[in-house]
Amino acid sequence: MNAATPFSLCVYCGSRSGTDPAHEAAARRVGTLIGERGWRLVYGGGRAGLMGVVADATLAAGGTVVGVIPHALMSRELGHPGLTELHVVDTMHERKRMMAERASAFLALPGGIGTFEELFEVWTWRQLGYHDQPIGLLNVAGYYDELLAFLAKTIDAGFLSTAQHDLLNVSDDAEALLTQLATLAGGAHQPDDYRSI
């Protein structure tokens, strides 16, 4: 990332809004913070659910938004027509790679299996050394409490090291977590190649 490139936060979140209003409020807050800080949002390109909320909030606060969406999901996720950039790609793999290539840091909000998959993949890439961008998990209204408890159990069971676990930065405070990710990304470099496993 050079001086001309804005800090880019790749956000993973639900294409649904969920049943707890706190989830939508958190997505709106994250988008607003991105825009107010002059950052760039990179996300999955949809206008539905939390995805649309975070994109709209970023744009409303003066930020730029880059969306990446596969052809097959354009109709299902209703690709957002008002983004700074919208890239329509052929596959989910291409989508995730393009998003990762444009990211200074990663953040997961509440979501479903797509969000889980994206979070765990980019976390795996990090621990394997394919990138060194920081990764955050915003635990809105305790949404991820049970997952975090399970992750602690995997350490006790010998399948996850404490060092691997600590690559995931967790908070329930959006502003503090975004500040932490930006600080941690200060020394990160932009890798030339992202490879899924």
Side-chain angles (χ1 to χ4, degrees):
M1 188 171 68
N2 58 48
T5 304
F7 182 84
S8 297
L9 185 61
C10 180
V11 174
Y12 304 128
C13 59
S15 59
R16 300 178 183 181
S17 294
T19 58
D20 188 338
H23 299 157
E24 189 169 317
R28 187 172 294 107
R29 180 65 179 148
V30 166
T32 299
L33 288 168
I34 292 170
E36 289 177 345
R37 295 178 182 203
W39 295 356
R40 178 175 67 178
L41 168 67
V42 178
Y43 85 118
R47 69 180 184 190
L50 299 187
M51 294 174 70
V53 171
V54 72
D56 288 340
T58 301
L59 292 167
T64 57
V65 180
V66 177
V68 186
I69 190 168
H71 289 285
L73 294 182
M74 274 295 285
S75 60
R76 290 176 58 188
E77 289 188 344
L78 302 173
H80 198 303
L83 306 181
T84 312
E85 299 175 28
L86 179 62
H87 301 273
V88 182
V89 297
D90 290 328
T91 67
M92 288 292 287
H93 290 294
E94 188 178 357
R95 178 198 211 184
K96 291 187 292 183
R97 181 185 176 112
M98 184 176 287
M99 290 168 66
E101 287 172 344
R102 286 157 173 76
S104 307
F106 302 90
L107 176 65
L109 303 180
I113 57 174
T115 301
F116 307 153
E117 189 267 342
E118 289 167 322
L119 171 63
F120 278 96
E121 183 171 58
V122 79
W123 189 6
T124 301
W125 292 351
R126 173 71 194 267
Q127 70 97 13
L128 290 175
Y130 291 142
H131 72 87
D132 62 358
Q133 279 83 336
I135 304 163
L137 180 69
L138 187 60
N139 187 23
V140 180
Y143 181 73
Y144 284 113
D145 284 353
E146 287 81 7
L147 174 63
L148 293 169
F150 175 74
L151 292 173
K153 180 179 178 180
T154 67
I155 296 174
D156 295 339
F159 289 105
L160 185 70
S161 72
T162 301
Q164 291 168 331
H165 179 275
D166 290 348
L167 292 173
L168 185 64
N169 302 279
V170 181
S171 178
D172 60 3
D173 184 323
E175 189 162 3
L177 184 55
L178 266 62
T179 297
Q180 180 182 12
L181 293 175
T183 300
L184 290 170
H189 69 276
Q190 196 78 345
D192 295 321
D193 184 31
Y194 282 81
R195 291 162 287 174
S196 60
I197 60 170

